[in-house]
Amino acid sequence: MSDNQSWNSSGSDEDVETSESGVGQPVVGIAELGGIISKWTNYIHGWQDRWVVLKNNTLSYYKSQDEREFGCRGSLCLSKAVITPHEFDECRLDVSVNDSVWYLRATDPEHRHQWINSIELHRAESGYGSEPSLRRHGSMLSLTSATSGYSATSTSSFKGHSLREKLAEMETFRDILCRQVDTLQKYFDGCSDAVSKDELQRDKVVEDDEDDFPNTRSDGEFIHNNNGSKEKLFRSLSPKGINGIDFKGEAITFKATTAGILSTLSHCIDLMVKREDSWQKRLDKETEKRRRIEEGYHSALSELKKKSHFGGPDYEEGPNSLINEDEFFDAVEAALDRQDKMEEQSHTEKSRIQRSSPVPPGDVYSTIGSHRFADKVEEMVQNHMTYSLQDMGGDANWQLVVEEGEMKVYRREVEENGIVLDPLKATHSVKGVTGHELCHYFWDTNVRNDWETTIENFNVVEMLSDNAVIVYQTHKRVWPASQRDVLYLSAMRKILANNENDPDTWLVCNFSVDHDNAQPTTRCVRAKINIAMICQTLVSPPEGDREISRDNLTCKITYVANVNPGGWAPASVLRAVAKREYPKFLKRFTGYVQEKTTGKPILF
């Protein structure tokens, strides 16, 4: 979070309180919060300032505040988010949801504390994480589980032939019982209708009754009852009088059907009791299987929380890095292999591009110069001429680490405060080129990208003279190592031989300097270098009166490098990378010069 961090509320102005430092602090009831905070984008670009918005229990980020109308670049739902302040970095907080992690970094601990409080307050206001909320969710889950359990019990398909037969009998009995219930219902309805009709007829007869009306026994005639009243004699109901239904028979059948159902249910219960042991064994087996799976899941989740996500800021070069040396080296080696493949693909395109590289007259490189670094350049040149050309045969401190044909690479192991400062020295012989040509292509910035594959970009900070220039360059990042940059003075000199039989010496020395226009940044680790390319041309006499051709030329090369990489890269990894990359560089560069000078006039 930058110093000009601000909070933005989509509600009223009362939603935000401003502290004495001018930073808005959230209060309960906030609808939306927004501010600038540094977010870890990826291992190439590292930390980048992003506009982060907290709204509706969702954390979203945009590239900038002005680009909000184009939509967010990512968002996290905070209902199950875990906010973790970093153990070592007081400005950093990690927001994780399952396997998604956002690495955020404020400018100071106070701003980080404000962000954490804001997120927690927003979650509480939204109703997530509170006890009543958890109870409600728990109750709903229990109800759902109970319903599912009942459904599973009532509809489960039991195994076993006998049980299936009994269940089929249950289905048959159910159909019979349903038909019997319908028949009995019809009978009861018929009885109810007959009783109603009888009551209506009886009321009519009573109203029309005459005292002297004679008694009769025939159907439809009247008789005197004991009370002297007359009643019409109705036909008595037979057992099949209503719709031909045999009520007694239906009742007996209904009783038999229910007895059959009860008997079948009893048999089913007996069968299930007998199979209870096998079911219990299956249940125990499935329970144990689930327990092991849950233990594995929790173990993997715990391990994932201990280690930050691969590719995050905890898995890169740093004082508290979680990556060990073997993993560090494997990652670096894989990245270098990818770069080599990409370089092979682009080599053809580079070879097609023809760049003009004008060569100043030779006497330009013989002068010391009059710029402000002239004395320092002269001191460096003399040191290299004195010490770099010494034979290493009797020095036991130098170790031969690579030998490929004419090329030999030596190293002397030196560490200071845990940082590898191994001086490196390589000797090589190249046919068909001169020392002037090799040093010219090594020094000329116009063709630097043609042969240098490790540079991401570079620019000339200051041109001191025709043979001295200050250059700032950043090197391609090789993850998980931090990106490096270098600010150095590059000077090219010609040293005349004291003896006419000895060859002249061409030399390019590159050493670190400071400059106001290229200050160190937090994005890169500033490396310190002291490098020299020293070349001497040996000419074999041509046969007869022939002119000297490139077949008569041999250039003896001495390359020395003293590099302080800075940072926290493991010593074993730095030494392994140096052993791998320096020989490749020499072969690539000398091959490039041979290709560029073929068919051109010799430059002595």
Side-chain angles (χ1 to χ4, degrees):
M1 191 186 300
S2 60
D3 293 336
N4 62 345
Q5 179 265 359
S6 63
W7 296 94
N8 174 37
S9 174
S10 63
S12 63
D13 296 338
E14 297 177 355
D15 288 340
V16 174
E17 296 176 355
T18 303
S19 63
E20 296 178 358
S21 62
V23 179
Q25 297 181 355
V27 296
V28 176
I30 288 174
E32 177 179 340
L33 295 176
I36 300 175
I37 191 169
S38 295
K39 182 180 182 297
W40 177 264
T41 54
N42 52 48
Y43 66 85
I44 297 177
H45 299 99
W47 297 102
Q48 300 288 334
D49 286 346
R50 292 291 181 261
W51 182 262
V52 179
V53 173
L54 179 60
K55 181 180 180 181
N56 296 334
N57 201 49
T58 301
L59 194 65
S60 308
Y61 81 91
Y62 306 80
K63 186 174 182 180
S64 64
Q65 186 177 8
D66 297 334
E67 295 191 7
R68 290 188 61 184
E69 61 182 10
F70 300 114
C72 69
R73 297 199 168 197
S75 62
L76 286 178
C77 179
L78 298 176
S79 58
K80 296 183 180 180
V82 178
I83 296 89
T84 307
H86 197 265
E87 182 179 0
F88 303 106
D89 192 343
E90 295 182 350
C91 299
R92 181 179 144 194
L93 65 147
D94 300 345
V95 183
S96 59
V97 178
N98 296 330
D99 58 349
S100 178
V101 178
W102 282 12
Y103 306 100
L104 306 177
R105 196 173 191 279
T107 53
D108 53 55
E110 180 182 357
H111 288 168
R112 181 185 76 168
H113 184 67
Q114 292 172 358
W115 272 101
I116 294 175
N117 287 343
S118 301
I119 294 174
E120 295 294 348
L121 285 173
H122 201 275
R123 293 175 65 190
E125 181 68 13
S126 301
Y128 288 90
S130 62
E131 186 176 355
S133 175
L134 292 177
R135 286 177 178 173
R136 287 196 300 272
H137 288 294
S139 300
M140 186 177 297
L141 180 61
S142 300
L143 180 61
T144 305
S145 300
T147 305
S148 300
Y150 174 79
S151 301
T153 303
S154 60
T155 61
S156 60
S157 134
F158 301 103
K159 306 295 182 181
H161 181 70
S162 298
L163 187 58
R164 285 198 298 268
E165 286 183 351
K166 292 300 178 182
L167 290 175
E169 291 179 8
M170 292 281 292
E171 293 290 336
T172 303
F173 281 132
R174 185 196 65 180
D175 295 339
I176 295 174
L177 192 61
C178 289
R179 289 195 297 270
Q180 290 174 346
V181 168
D182 292 339
T183 301
L184 291 175
Q185 184 65 46
K186 292 178 180 178
Y187 181 81
F188 294 145
D189 292 341
C191 290
S192 177
D193 293 341
V195 170
S196 299
K197 291 178 180 179
D198 184 46
E199 290 178 350
L200 291 173
Q201 185 68 27
R202 182 177 297 147
D203 292 340
K204 183 177 180 181
V205 169
V206 171
E207 291 175 359
D208 296 339
D209 182 28
E210 294 181 0
D211 293 339
D212 55 350
F213 200 83
N215 295 338
T216 181
R217 291 289 181 181
S218 61
D219 289 345
E221 295 181 347
F222 298 94
I223 63 173
H224 290 279
N225 58 15
N226 296 330
N227 295 328
S229 62
K230 301 175 186 177
E231 293 181 356
K232 187 174 182 178
L233 191 62
F234 291 96
R235 191 180 290 109
S236 61
L237 293 176
S238 65
K240 300 183 180 179
I242 299 179
N243 297 328
I245 296 175
D246 184 1
F247 177 76
K248 185 176 180 180
E250 290 293 337
I252 294 173
T253 307
F254 184 83
K255 182 178 179 180
T257 304
T258 54
I261 289 177
L262 293 175
S263 175
T264 305
L265 282 175
S266 177
H267 193 182
C268 289
I269 292 173
D270 292 340
L271 290 175
M272 287 187 286
V273 169
K274 291 179 181 179
R275 302 193 63 181
E276 183 179 4
D277 292 339
S278 62
W279 288 349
Q280 186 63 42
K281 291 179 181 179
R282 292 184 182 181
L283 177 62
D284 294 341
K285 184 177 180 180
E286 291 298 325
T287 303
E288 178 64 20
K289 183 179 179 181
R290 178 174 180 176
R291 185 188 64 80
R292 291 197 300 267
I293 293 175
E294 288 180 348
E295 286 181 356
Y297 167 75
H298 291 301
S299 176
L301 187 63
S302 176
E303 191 68 21
L304 189 63
K305 290 181 178 179
K306 289 180 181 178
K307 291 186 177 182
S308 213
H309 285 59
F310 196 74
D314 292 326
Y315 259 74
E316 65 170 2
E317 177 186 350
N320 304 307
S321 176
L322 298 179
I323 190 170
N324 58 44
E325 289 192 13
D326 292 337
E327 294 172 335
F328 198 105
F329 176 74
D330 291 341
V332 168
E333 188 174 38
L336 291 174
D337 290 339
R338 288 194 298 269
Q339 287 188 6
D340 290 344
K341 291 181 180 179
M342 294 174 62
E343 179 59 27
E344 290 177 2
Q345 294 174 358
S346 62
H347 176 73
T348 305
E349 293 295 329
K350 288 183 178 181
S351 62
R352 295 174 183 172
I353 301 174
Q354 299 294 331
R355 293 186 177 89
S356 60
S357 180
V359 180
D363 55 356
V364 171
Y365 303 110
S366 301
T367 59
I368 297 176
S370 58
H371 51 83
R372 64 182 183 280
F373 291 101
D375 294 339
K376 184 65 175 177
V377 171
E378 186 63 21
E379 178 185 351
M380 289 291 181
V381 169
Q382 294 304 322
N383 286 338
H384 285 302
M385 292 298 296
T386 302
Y387 300 106
S388 299
L389 294 177
Q390 290 180 351
D391 188 11
M392 293 163 294
D395 193 342
N397 293 326
W398 288 96
Q399 303 175 6
L400 179 63
V401 293
V402 177
E403 183 174 6
E404 297 181 10
E406 296 290 335
M407 181 175 58
K408 297 180 180 180
V409 180
Y410 300 86
R411 180 180 66 208
R412 189 171 70 241
E413 294 188 358
V414 177
E415 289 191 27
E416 183 177 326
N417 297 326
I419 300 177
V420 175
L421 304 175
D422 294 352
L424 183 138
K425 186 173 184 179
T427 59
H428 194 23
S429 294
V430 183
K431 298 287 187 179
V433 295
T434 65
H436 187 180
E437 292 169 335
L438 278 170
C439 288
H440 167 70
Y441 283 102
F442 186 71
W443 179 81
D444 189 4
T445 58
N446 292 325
V447 295
R448 180 69 52 85
N449 280 331
D450 290 350
W451 57 267
E452 179 60 274
T453 61
T454 64
I455 292 178
E456 184 175 86
N457 56 67
F458 75 95
N459 62 287
V460 176
V461 178
E462 183 179 353
M463 194 75 182
L464 299 174
S465 65
D466 290 339
N467 65 338
V469 63
I470 296 179
V471 177
Y472 171 76
Q473 65 188 31
T474 58
H475 291 264
K476 295 177 182 177
R477 185 178 183 190
V478 181
W479 188 87
S482 300
Q483 189 172 20
R484 261 69 176 178
D485 64 356
V486 185
L487 178 67
Y488 63 94
L489 187 152
S490 181
M492 181 174 172
R493 291 287 305 278
K494 177 184 179 181
I495 310 299
L496 299 176
N498 296 326
N499 188 337
E500 62 179 7
N501 294 325
D502 294 334
D504 295 335
T505 301
W506 288 86
L507 179 146
V508 175
C509 62
N510 300 337
F511 58 92
S512 293
V513 294
D514 296 325
H515 200 281
D516 294 337
N517 294 338
Q519 297 293 334
T521 65
T522 57
R523 183 168 177 257
C524 298
V525 176
R526 179 63 57 88
K528 302 293 183 179
I529 65 170
N530 182 8
I531 296 173
M533 173 80 74
I534 307 170
C535 302
Q536 293 177 329
T537 305
L538 305 178
V539 181
S540 59
E543 296 180 359
D545 296 334
R546 295 182 181 179
E547 295 182 356
I548 298 176
S549 66
R550 294 194 176 274
D551 295 334
N552 305 118
L553 302 178
T554 301
C555 184
K556 180 181 178 183
I557 303 172
T558 302
Y559 180 81
V560 292
N562 294 273
V563 179
N564 180 353
W568 297 272
S572 60
V573 175
L574 290 175
R575 291 190 173 110
V577 171
K579 181 178 178 181
R580 163 184 167 144
E581 293 301 310
Y582 276 113
K584 289 170 58 178
F585 151 71
L586 278 178
K587 289 190 291 186
R588 182 175 62 249
F589 172 69
T590 54
Y592 168 79
V593 176
Q594 287 177 321
E595 180 182 348
K596 289 296 181 181
T597 55
T598 300
K600 294 183 179 180
I602 300 175
L603 184 62
F604 286 100

